[in-house]
Amino acid sequence: MGVLSKEDPELAALLVREQERQRSTLQLIASENFTSAAVLEATGSVLTNKYAEGYPGRRYYGGNAVVDEVESLAIERARALFRAPWANVQPHAGANANAAAYLALLAPGDPVLAMRLDQGGHLTHGSPVNFSGQLYRFVGYGVRQEDPNREWLDLDQLADLARAHHPRLIVVGATAYPRVIDVTPIRAIADEVGARVLFDAAHVAGLIAAGVYPNPLWLASGERGADVVTFTTHKTLRGPRGAAIVGHEDVAKAIDKAVFPGLQGGPLEHAIAAKAVAFREAASPSFRDYGRRVVANAQTLAASLEAEGFRLVSGGTDVHLILVDLRDFDPELDGKTAQDLLDAAGITLNRNQIPFDPRSPFVTSGLRLGTAALTTTGMGEEEMKRVGSLIATVLRARTDEVVREVRQQVRELCAAFVPPGLAS
């Protein structure tokens, strides 16, 4: 930050503070990760200077010969990584990717099935304050309330709702669901009622790339799974902030038009270059090992928290994400209080509603944790056990003295595991 420090010392100082925060605290937010230095370099590259409305070979400005090669490389790598017949790497964010798919596949007012927000779904899966809930008629499916398989996806409910509402689209995927979702039975339900399937893989794209989560584009039989898969590139995929869409050829033309000119203008080619870097990294053998370690770390952290007296939603995790019900640990402890206490101790995570939560989404009875970022730093299962113990220590004591003691332990732990992109 030599130039920035001279040109804008005020902003440079803020970035230094943020870098120190990232290096000295435990990053357990499930939707965050650390990029490589190569991804950071591409994100800050000269491609920031280029305007490139359109697609490779079909631009509305001159001077795009190099940009066309960059974007084509990103498309080629995305297709290979997800075994996809088609890919679009232009969406600026996951919400944009979902919006493009809806615009291409639906008409305003069409019925859509998606996971309920209070049971794991996402804002763009039909929230009434979001464009999705305002433009389309979303019907929410959820998880089981009763044993067996409490808090696992209720496929019987999904099937009944599909038969009752005849949706044009079934949206699969979640932002706070700790289990693998098998697209096979959902594909069968969709075929029965004449619906398409969109799999929102924002959280699990990196696990799919690593081979530790089933590729929703294809069934185990080799037949077609989801029609289209949207995903962000900055969570488990460990790339820049942004998104992409992959799918089958019969949706390609409509979604390409929905992205541009339907929703977005000039693509962020510097971000697309960084996506290309991330796709290349995710295709490596070391990334497959990384994916396995992310899941192993999540399961170890989950077991540690369970041993400390926390209840795990659905009984555990298959992925990078853990959803904790605080009420067994302490009925009076809410998610907002727990999040604030842990943040003061250098443990960064987020409060989250649990299924059938009696508390509001601003308070909640739960916490959501993820292991993708800590795994990137090199932490393993022994560190996960320690993290679980530190969380329990803070939430049991809830005193300034204990918070300060844990904050120091967190600093010492983080000093031994510096994120690769922040090593210098």
Side-chain angles (χ1 to χ4, degrees), residues 153-193:
L153 185 62
D154 191 340
L155 289 171
D156 293 332
Q157 180 191 74
L158 195 161
D160 289 342
L161 289 170
R163 292 168 188 140
H165 294 276
H166 294 278
R168 290 285 302 279
L169 182 69
I170 298 177
V171 178
V172 189
T175 189
Y177 182 70
R179 297 296 183 175
V180 166
I181 301 176
D182 181 6
V183 78
T184 303
I186 300 171
R187 176 78 266 173
I189 294 167
D191 288 344
E192 179 185 337
V193 299

mmCIF file of all heavy atoms in Angstrom, residues 153-193:
data_model
loop_
_atom_site.group_PDB
_atom_site.id
_atom_site.type_symbol
_atom_site.label_atom_id
_atom_site.label_comp_id
_atom_site.label_asym_id
_atom_site.label_seq_id
_atom_site.Cartn_x
_atom_site.Cartn_y
_atom_site.Cartn_z
ATOM 1 N N LEU A 153 -34.319 -31.782 5.666
ATOM 2 C CA LEU A 153 -35.232 -31.335 4.626
ATOM 3 C C LEU A 153 -36.434 -32.272 4.523
ATOM 4 O O LEU A 153 -36.281 -33.490 4.454
ATOM 5 C CB LEU A 153 -34.483 -31.286 3.288
ATOM 6 C CG LEU A 153 -35.242 -30.725 2.093
ATOM 7 C CD1 LEU A 153 -35.625 -29.287 2.328
ATOM 8 C CD2 LEU A 153 -34.374 -30.843 0.847
ATOM 9 N N ASP A 154 -37.636 -31.693 4.502
ATOM 10 C CA ASP A 154 -38.867 -32.471 4.453
ATOM 11 C C ASP A 154 -39.282 -32.648 2.988
ATOM 12 O O ASP A 154 -40.003 -31.827 2.418
ATOM 13 C CB ASP A 154 -39.965 -31.754 5.244
ATOM 14 C CG ASP A 154 -41.190 -32.625 5.457
ATOM 15 O OD1 ASP A 154 -41.367 -33.611 4.697
ATOM 16 O OD2 ASP A 154 -41.984 -32.328 6.375
ATOM 17 N N LEU A 155 -38.828 -33.722 2.387
ATOM 18 C CA LEU A 155 -39.122 -33.980 0.972
ATOM 19 C C LEU A 155 -40.591 -34.311 0.738
ATOM 20 O O LEU A 155 -41.138 -34.023 -0.333
ATOM 21 C CB LEU A 155 -38.238 -35.113 0.463
ATOM 22 C CG LEU A 155 -36.749 -34.760 0.305
ATOM 23 C CD1 LEU A 155 -35.934 -36.011 0.021
ATOM 24 C CD2 LEU A 155 -36.546 -33.734 -0.803
ATOM 25 N N ASP A 156 -41.247 -34.911 1.736
ATOM 26 C CA ASP A 156 -42.680 -35.193 1.602
ATOM 27 C C ASP A 156 -43.464 -33.891 1.506
ATOM 28 O O ASP A 156 -44.389 -33.756 0.688
ATOM 29 C CB ASP A 156 -43.175 -36.025 2.785
ATOM 30 C CG ASP A 156 -42.579 -37.423 2.807
ATOM 31 O OD1 ASP A 156 -42.244 -37.944 1.729
ATOM 32 O OD2 ASP A 156 -42.443 -37.990 3.913
ATOM 33 N N GLN A 157 -43.103 -32.928 2.343
ATOM 34 C CA GLN A 157 -43.759 -31.622 2.295
ATOM 35 C C GLN A 157 -43.501 -30.942 0.954
ATOM 36 O O GLN A 157 -44.401 -30.358 0.351
ATOM 37 C CB GLN A 157 -43.250 -30.742 3.435
ATOM 38 C CG GLN A 157 -43.871 -29.364 3.481
ATOM 39 C CD GLN A 157 -43.161 -28.438 4.456
ATOM 40 O OE1 GLN A 157 -42.065 -27.970 4.185
ATOM 41 N NE2 GLN A 157 -43.778 -28.207 5.614
ATOM 42 N N LEU A 158 -42.257 -31.022 0.483
ATOM 43 C CA LEU A 158 -41.910 -30.411 -0.801
ATOM 44 C C LEU A 158 -42.757 -31.008 -1.923
ATOM 45 O O LEU A 158 -43.297 -30.283 -2.766
ATOM 46 C CB LEU A 158 -40.419 -30.608 -1.074
ATOM 47 C CG LEU A 158 -39.753 -29.769 -2.174
ATOM 48 C CD1 LEU A 158 -38.236 -29.762 -1.988
ATOM 49 C CD2 LEU A 158 -40.067 -30.295 -3.570
ATOM 50 N N ALA A 159 -42.894 -32.333 -1.912
ATOM 51 C CA ALA A 159 -43.680 -32.997 -2.957
ATOM 52 C C ALA A 159 -45.145 -32.591 -2.888
ATOM 53 O O ALA A 159 -45.785 -32.323 -3.918
ATOM 54 C CB ALA A 159 -43.538 -34.508 -2.831
ATOM 55 N N ASP A 160 -45.702 -32.523 -1.682
ATOM 56 C CA ASP A 160 -47.110 -32.138 -1.523
ATOM 57 C C ASP A 160 -47.343 -30.705 -2.006
ATOM 58 O O ASP A 160 -48.340 -30.416 -2.682
ATOM 59 C CB ASP A 160 -47.525 -32.252 -0.052
ATOM 60 C CG ASP A 160 -47.619 -33.703 0.421
ATOM 61 O OD1 ASP A 160 -47.693 -34.606 -0.444
ATOM 62 O OD2 ASP A 160 -47.619 -33.924 1.647
ATOM 63 N N LEU A 161 -46.424 -29.797 -1.678
ATOM 64 C CA LEU A 161 -46.559 -28.413 -2.114
ATOM 65 C C LEU A 161 -46.435 -28.288 -3.629
ATOM 66 O O LEU A 161 -47.134 -27.493 -4.263
ATOM 67 C CB LEU A 161 -45.502 -27.544 -1.427
ATOM 68 C CG LEU A 161 -45.703 -27.298 0.074
ATOM 69 C CD1 LEU A 161 -44.470 -26.631 0.678
ATOM 70 C CD2 LEU A 161 -46.943 -26.442 0.309
ATOM 71 N N ALA A 162 -45.540 -29.083 -4.210
ATOM 72 C CA ALA A 162 -45.382 -29.047 -5.667
ATOM 73 C C ALA A 162 -46.663 -29.490 -6.363
ATOM 74 O O ALA A 162 -47.100 -28.886 -7.355
ATOM 75 C CB ALA A 162 -44.206 -29.919 -6.084
ATOM 76 N N ARG A 163 -47.283 -30.528 -5.846
ATOM 77 C CA ARG A 163 -48.522 -31.025 -6.460
ATOM 78 C C ARG A 163 -49.673 -30.051 -6.260
ATOM 79 O O ARG A 163 -50.569 -29.948 -7.103
ATOM 80 C CB ARG A 163 -48.873 -32.392 -5.884
ATOM 81 C CG ARG A 163 -47.890 -33.488 -6.296
ATOM 82 C CD ARG A 163 -48.050 -34.761 -5.503
ATOM 83 N NE ARG A 163 -46.964 -35.698 -5.797
ATOM 84 C CZ ARG A 163 -46.353 -36.448 -4.882
ATOM 85 N NH1 ARG A 163 -46.717 -36.373 -3.595
ATOM 86 N NH2 ARG A 163 -45.378 -37.267 -5.236
ATOM 87 N N ALA A 164 -49.634 -29.310 -5.158
ATOM 88 C CA ALA A 164 -50.713 -28.362 -4.872
ATOM 89 C C ALA A 164 -50.568 -27.057 -5.659
ATOM 90 O O ALA A 164 -51.568 -26.459 -6.068
ATOM 91 C CB ALA A 164 -50.755 -28.060 -3.373
ATOM 92 N N HIS A 165 -49.322 -26.599 -5.871
ATOM 93 C CA HIS A 165 -49.108 -25.272 -6.444
ATOM 94 C C HIS A 165 -48.571 -25.286 -7.875
ATOM 95 O O HIS A 165 -48.532 -24.240 -8.516
ATOM 96 C CB HIS A 165 -48.136 -24.490 -5.552
ATOM 97 C CG HIS A 165 -48.690 -24.179 -4.199
ATOM 98 N ND1 HIS A 165 -49.503 -23.100 -3.951
ATOM 99 C CD2 HIS A 165 -48.562 -24.837 -3.013
ATOM 100 C CE1 HIS A 165 -49.845 -23.087 -2.678
ATOM 101 N NE2 HIS A 165 -49.302 -24.127 -2.082
ATOM 102 N N HIS A 166 -48.140 -26.443 -8.378
ATOM 103 C CA HIS A 166 -47.605 -26.567 -9.729
ATOM 104 C C HIS A 166 -46.623 -25.434 -10.064
ATOM 105 O O HIS A 166 -46.856 -24.620 -10.964
ATOM 106 C CB HIS A 166 -48.744 -26.593 -10.755
ATOM 107 C CG HIS A 166 -49.593 -27.819 -10.630
ATOM 108 N ND1 HIS A 166 -49.248 -29.028 -11.187
ATOM 109 C CD2 HIS A 166 -50.771 -28.025 -9.976
ATOM 110 C CE1 HIS A 166 -50.166 -29.930 -10.897
ATOM 111 N NE2 HIS A 166 -51.111 -29.353 -10.159
ATOM 112 N N PRO A 167 -45.503 -25.394 -9.364
ATOM 113 C CA PRO A 167 -44.539 -24.307 -9.581
ATOM 114 C C PRO A 167 -43.880 -24.407 -10.949
ATOM 115 O O PRO A 167 -43.722 -25.491 -11.508
ATOM 116 C CB PRO A 167 -43.511 -24.531 -8.470
ATOM 117 C CG PRO A 167 -43.553 -26.012 -8.224
ATOM 118 C CD PRO A 167 -45.009 -26.372 -8.382
ATOM 119 N N ARG A 168 -43.480 -23.240 -11.477
ATOM 120 C CA ARG A 168 -42.689 -23.229 -12.701
ATOM 121 C C ARG A 168 -41.224 -23.561 -12.395
ATOM 122 O O ARG A 168 -40.492 -24.010 -13.279
ATOM 123 C CB ARG A 168 -42.762 -21.830 -13.349
ATOM 124 C CG ARG A 168 -44.105 -21.472 -13.944
ATOM 125 C CD ARG A 168 -44.365 -22.193 -15.246
ATOM 126 N NE ARG A 168 -43.361 -21.920 -16.249
ATOM 127 C CZ ARG A 168 -43.328 -20.840 -17.017
ATOM 128 N NH1 ARG A 168 -44.270 -19.910 -16.901
ATOM 129 N NH2 ARG A 168 -42.372 -20.669 -17.919
ATOM 130 N N LEU A 169 -40.823 -23.316 -11.142
ATOM 131 C CA LEU A 169 -39.424 -23.494 -10.752
ATOM 132 C C LEU A 169 -39.369 -23.971 -9.314
ATOM 133 O O LEU A 169 -40.125 -23.496 -8.459
ATOM 134 C CB LEU A 169 -38.676 -22.156 -10.884
ATOM 135 C CG LEU A 169 -37.182 -22.149 -10.559
ATOM 136 C CD1 LEU A 169 -36.397 -22.929 -11.622
ATOM 137 C CD2 LEU A 169 -36.660 -20.715 -10.474
ATOM 138 N N ILE A 170 -38.466 -24.914 -9.038
ATOM 139 C CA ILE A 170 -38.156 -25.318 -7.664
ATOM 140 C C ILE A 170 -36.727 -24.885 -7.383
ATOM 141 O O ILE A 170 -35.792 -25.282 -8.084
ATOM 142 C CB ILE A 170 -38.304 -26.840 -7.467
ATOM 143 C CG1 ILE A 170 -39.753 -27.275 -7.727
ATOM 144 C CG2 ILE A 170 -37.879 -27.235 -6.047
ATOM 145 C CD1 ILE A 170 -39.970 -28.781 -7.614
ATOM 146 N N VAL A 171 -36.572 -24.037 -6.375
ATOM 147 C CA VAL A 171 -35.251 -23.549 -5.971
ATOM 148 C C VAL A 171 -34.744 -24.427 -4.839
ATOM 149 O O VAL A 171 -35.436 -24.629 -3.833
ATOM 150 C CB VAL A 171 -35.315 -22.078 -5.516
ATOM 151 C CG1 VAL A 171 -33.939 -21.610 -5.047
ATOM 152 C CG2 VAL A 171 -35.815 -21.193 -6.655
ATOM 153 N N VAL A 172 -33.538 -24.937 -5.009
ATOM 154 C CA VAL A 172 -32.905 -25.816 -4.022
ATOM 155 C C VAL A 172 -31.654 -25.106 -3.513
ATOM 156 O O VAL A 172 -31.020 -24.342 -4.241
ATOM 157 C CB VAL A 172 -32.522 -27.169 -4.649
ATOM 158 C CG1 VAL A 172 -32.057 -28.156 -3.587
ATOM 159 C CG2 VAL A 172 -33.683 -27.738 -5.443
ATOM 160 N N GLY A 173 -31.285 -25.368 -2.283
ATOM 161 C CA GLY A 173 -30.098 -24.741 -1.723
ATOM 162 C C GLY A 173 -30.475 -23.827 -0.575
ATOM 163 O O GLY A 173 -31.632 -23.413 -0.436
ATOM 164 N N ALA A 174 -29.492 -23.488 0.256
ATOM 165 C CA ALA A 174 -29.787 -22.759 1.487
ATOM 166 C C ALA A 174 -28.574 -21.975 1.936
ATOM 167 O O ALA A 174 -27.455 -22.173 1.448
ATOM 168 C CB ALA A 174 -30.219 -23.734 2.577
ATOM 169 N N THR A 175 -28.816 -21.098 2.884
ATOM 170 C CA THR A 175 -27.733 -20.321 3.479
ATOM 171 C C THR A 175 -27.424 -20.760 4.906
ATOM 172 O O THR A 175 -26.428 -20.350 5.483
ATOM 173 C CB THR A 175 -28.085 -18.821 3.448
ATOM 174 O OG1 THR A 175 -26.949 -18.057 3.832
ATOM 175 C CG2 THR A 175 -29.235 -18.491 4.382
ATOM 176 N N ALA A 176 -28.296 -21.598 5.471
ATOM 177 C CA ALA A 176 -28.071 -22.055 6.843
ATOM 178 C C ALA A 176 -28.663 -23.451 7.033
ATOM 179 O O ALA A 176 -29.511 -23.678 7.895
ATOM 180 C CB ALA A 176 -28.676 -21.075 7.850
ATOM 181 N N TYR A 177 -28.215 -24.373 6.205
ATOM 182 C CA TYR A 177 -28.657 -25.769 6.297
ATOM 183 C C TYR A 177 -27.415 -26.650 6.264
ATOM 184 O O TYR A 177 -26.675 -26.638 5.270
ATOM 185 C CB TYR A 177 -29.601 -26.113 5.144
ATOM 186 C CG TYR A 177 -30.135 -27.528 5.187
ATOM 187 C CD1 TYR A 177 -31.059 -27.915 6.159
ATOM 188 C CD2 TYR A 177 -29.707 -28.482 4.265
ATOM 189 C CE1 TYR A 177 -31.552 -29.214 6.198
ATOM 190 C CE2 TYR A 177 -30.191 -29.775 4.293
ATOM 191 C CZ TYR A 177 -31.111 -30.142 5.262
ATOM 192 O OH TYR A 177 -31.596 -31.435 5.305
ATOM 193 N N PRO A 178 -27.150 -27.413 7.327
ATOM 194 C CA PRO A 178 -25.852 -28.085 7.449
ATOM 195 C C PRO A 178 -25.762 -29.488 6.847
ATOM 196 O O PRO A 178 -24.829 -30.227 7.170
ATOM 197 C CB PRO A 178 -25.660 -28.142 8.973
ATOM 198 C CG PRO A 178 -27.040 -28.240 9.523
ATOM 199 C CD PRO A 178 -27.923 -27.473 8.578
ATOM 200 N N ARG A 179 -26.687 -29.836 5.976
ATOM 201 C CA ARG A 179 -26.685 -31.186 5.404
ATOM 202 C C ARG A 179 -26.594 -31.146 3.877
ATOM 203 O O ARG A 179 -26.998 -30.162 3.246
ATOM 204 C CB ARG A 179 -27.956 -31.937 5.826
ATOM 205 C CG ARG A 179 -28.065 -32.152 7.330
ATOM 206 C CD ARG A 179 -26.944 -33.043 7.846
ATOM 207 N NE ARG A 179 -27.056 -33.320 9.272
ATOM 208 C CZ ARG A 179 -26.258 -34.149 9.936
ATOM 209 N NH1 ARG A 179 -25.278 -34.774 9.285
ATOM 210 N NH2 ARG A 179 -26.406 -34.349 11.222
ATOM 211 N N VAL A 180 -26.081 -32.199 3.291
ATOM 212 C CA VAL A 180 -26.083 -32.345 1.842
ATOM 213 C C VAL A 180 -27.523 -32.457 1.349
ATOM 214 O O VAL A 180 -28.350 -33.153 1.959
ATOM 215 C CB VAL A 180 -25.276 -33.587 1.421
ATOM 216 C CG1 VAL A 180 -25.539 -33.947 -0.040
ATOM 217 C CG2 VAL A 180 -23.787 -33.362 1.651
ATOM 218 N N ILE A 181 -27.832 -31.755 0.280
ATOM 219 C CA ILE A 181 -29.151 -31.870 -0.351
ATOM 220 C C ILE A 181 -29.000 -32.673 -1.633
ATOM 221 O O ILE A 181 -28.296 -32.254 -2.564
ATOM 222 C CB ILE A 181 -29.751 -30.486 -0.662
ATOM 223 C CG1 ILE A 181 -29.885 -29.659 0.622
ATOM 224 C CG2 ILE A 181 -31.104 -30.643 -1.347
ATOM 225 C CD1 ILE A 181 -30.373 -28.238 0.390
ATOM 226 N N ASP A 182 -29.641 -33.813 -1.681
ATOM 227 C CA ASP A 182 -29.604 -34.680 -2.856
ATOM 228 C C ASP A 182 -30.649 -34.192 -3.850
ATOM 229 O O ASP A 182 -31.852 -34.143 -3.542
ATOM 230 C CB ASP A 182 -29.889 -36.120 -2.427
ATOM 231 C CG ASP A 182 -29.844 -37.097 -3.598
ATOM 232 O OD1 ASP A 182 -29.474 -36.691 -4.723
ATOM 233 O OD2 ASP A 182 -30.184 -38.280 -3.379
ATOM 234 N N VAL A 183 -30.217 -33.816 -5.034
ATOM 235 C CA VAL A 183 -31.143 -33.270 -6.017
ATOM 236 C C VAL A 183 -31.988 -34.352 -6.687
ATOM 237 O O VAL A 183 -33.008 -34.046 -7.316
ATOM 238 C CB VAL A 183 -30.373 -32.443 -7.076
ATOM 239 C CG1 VAL A 183 -29.680 -33.350 -8.086
ATOM 240 C CG2 VAL A 183 -31.275 -31.435 -7.765
ATOM 241 N N THR A 184 -31.631 -35.631 -6.509
ATOM 242 C CA THR A 184 -32.315 -36.713 -7.237
ATOM 243 C C THR A 184 -33.818 -36.745 -6.977
ATOM 244 O O THR A 184 -34.613 -36.723 -7.937
ATOM 245 C CB THR A 184 -31.680 -38.073 -6.893
ATOM 246 O OG1 THR A 184 -30.286 -38.021 -7.198
ATOM 247 C CG2 THR A 184 -32.345 -39.186 -7.686
ATOM 248 N N PRO A 185 -34.277 -36.815 -5.719
ATOM 249 C CA PRO A 185 -35.731 -36.849 -5.517
ATOM 250 C C PRO A 185 -36.415 -35.546 -5.922
ATOM 251 O O PRO A 185 -37.591 -35.551 -6.323
ATOM 252 C CB PRO A 185 -35.880 -37.115 -4.014
ATOM 253 C CG PRO A 185 -34.590 -36.656 -3.404
ATOM 254 C CD PRO A 185 -33.548 -36.933 -4.442
ATOM 255 N N ILE A 186 -35.701 -34.429 -5.845
ATOM 256 C CA ILE A 186 -36.292 -33.138 -6.223
ATOM 257 C C ILE A 186 -36.461 -33.058 -7.733
ATOM 258 O O ILE A 186 -37.454 -32.520 -8.233
ATOM 259 C CB ILE A 186 -35.433 -31.994 -5.668
ATOM 260 C CG1 ILE A 186 -35.377 -32.093 -4.134
ATOM 261 C CG2 ILE A 186 -35.993 -30.646 -6.106
ATOM 262 C CD1 ILE A 186 -34.398 -31.161 -3.479
ATOM 263 N N ARG A 187 -35.507 -33.617 -8.483
ATOM 264 C CA ARG A 187 -35.641 -33.688 -9.935
ATOM 265 C C ARG A 187 -36.888 -34.494 -10.308
ATOM 266 O O ARG A 187 -37.634 -34.115 -11.227
ATOM 267 C CB ARG A 187 -34.394 -34.338 -10.532
ATOM 268 C CG ARG A 187 -34.411 -34.581 -12.034
ATOM 269 C CD ARG A 187 -34.139 -33.319 -12.817
ATOM 270 N NE ARG A 187 -35.351 -32.620 -13.232
ATOM 271 C CZ ARG A 187 -35.338 -31.423 -13.805
ATOM 272 N NH1 ARG A 187 -34.201 -30.786 -14.020
ATOM 273 N NH2 ARG A 187 -36.475 -30.846 -14.168
ATOM 274 N N ALA A 188 -37.119 -35.594 -9.590
ATOM 275 C CA ALA A 188 -38.284 -36.425 -9.882
ATOM 276 C C ALA A 188 -39.582 -35.675 -9.594
ATOM 277 O O ALA A 188 -40.547 -35.760 -10.364
ATOM 278 C CB ALA A 188 -38.218 -37.710 -9.058
ATOM 279 N N ILE A 189 -39.609 -34.930 -8.501
ATOM 280 C CA ILE A 189 -40.794 -34.134 -8.163
ATOM 281 C C ILE A 189 -41.023 -33.062 -9.230
ATOM 282 O O ILE A 189 -42.150 -32.829 -9.679
ATOM 283 C CB ILE A 189 -40.627 -33.496 -6.773
ATOM 284 C CG1 ILE A 189 -40.597 -34.580 -5.681
ATOM 285 C CG2 ILE A 189 -41.738 -32.487 -6.497
ATOM 286 C CD1 ILE A 189 -40.122 -34.085 -4.329
ATOM 287 N N ALA A 190 -39.943 -32.394 -9.638
ATOM 288 C CA ALA A 190 -40.053 -31.351 -10.658
ATOM 289 C C ALA A 190 -40.582 -31.917 -11.968
ATOM 290 O O ALA A 190 -41.445 -31.299 -12.624
ATOM 291 C CB ALA A 190 -38.689 -30.696 -10.871
ATOM 292 N N ASP A 191 -40.085 -33.072 -12.365
ATOM 293 C CA ASP A 191 -40.546 -33.685 -13.606
ATOM 294 C C ASP A 191 -42.029 -34.036 -13.535
ATOM 295 O O ASP A 191 -42.767 -33.908 -14.514
ATOM 296 C CB ASP A 191 -39.727 -34.942 -13.909
ATOM 297 C CG ASP A 191 -38.296 -34.612 -14.344
ATOM 298 O OD1 ASP A 191 -38.038 -33.443 -14.704
ATOM 299 O OD2 ASP A 191 -37.443 -35.518 -14.294
ATOM 300 N N GLU A 192 -42.459 -34.463 -12.346
ATOM 301 C CA GLU A 192 -43.867 -34.834 -12.170
ATOM 302 C C GLU A 192 -44.797 -33.642 -12.384
ATOM 303 O O GLU A 192 -45.888 -33.787 -12.955
ATOM 304 C CB GLU A 192 -44.069 -35.398 -10.759
ATOM 305 C CG GLU A 192 -45.502 -35.808 -10.452
ATOM 306 C CD GLU A 192 -45.694 -36.240 -9.003
ATOM 307 O OE1 GLU A 192 -44.696 -36.646 -8.358
ATOM 308 O OE2 GLU A 192 -46.836 -36.162 -8.521
ATOM 309 N N VAL A 193 -44.378 -32.446 -11.943
ATOM 310 C CA VAL A 193 -45.262 -31.272 -12.027
ATOM 311 C C VAL A 193 -44.867 -30.306 -13.142
ATOM 312 O O VAL A 193 -45.461 -29.242 -13.289
ATOM 313 C CB VAL A 193 -45.288 -30.519 -10.671
ATOM 314 C CG1 VAL A 193 -45.815 -31.419 -9.568
ATOM 315 C CG2 VAL A 193 -43.917 -29.951 -10.303
#
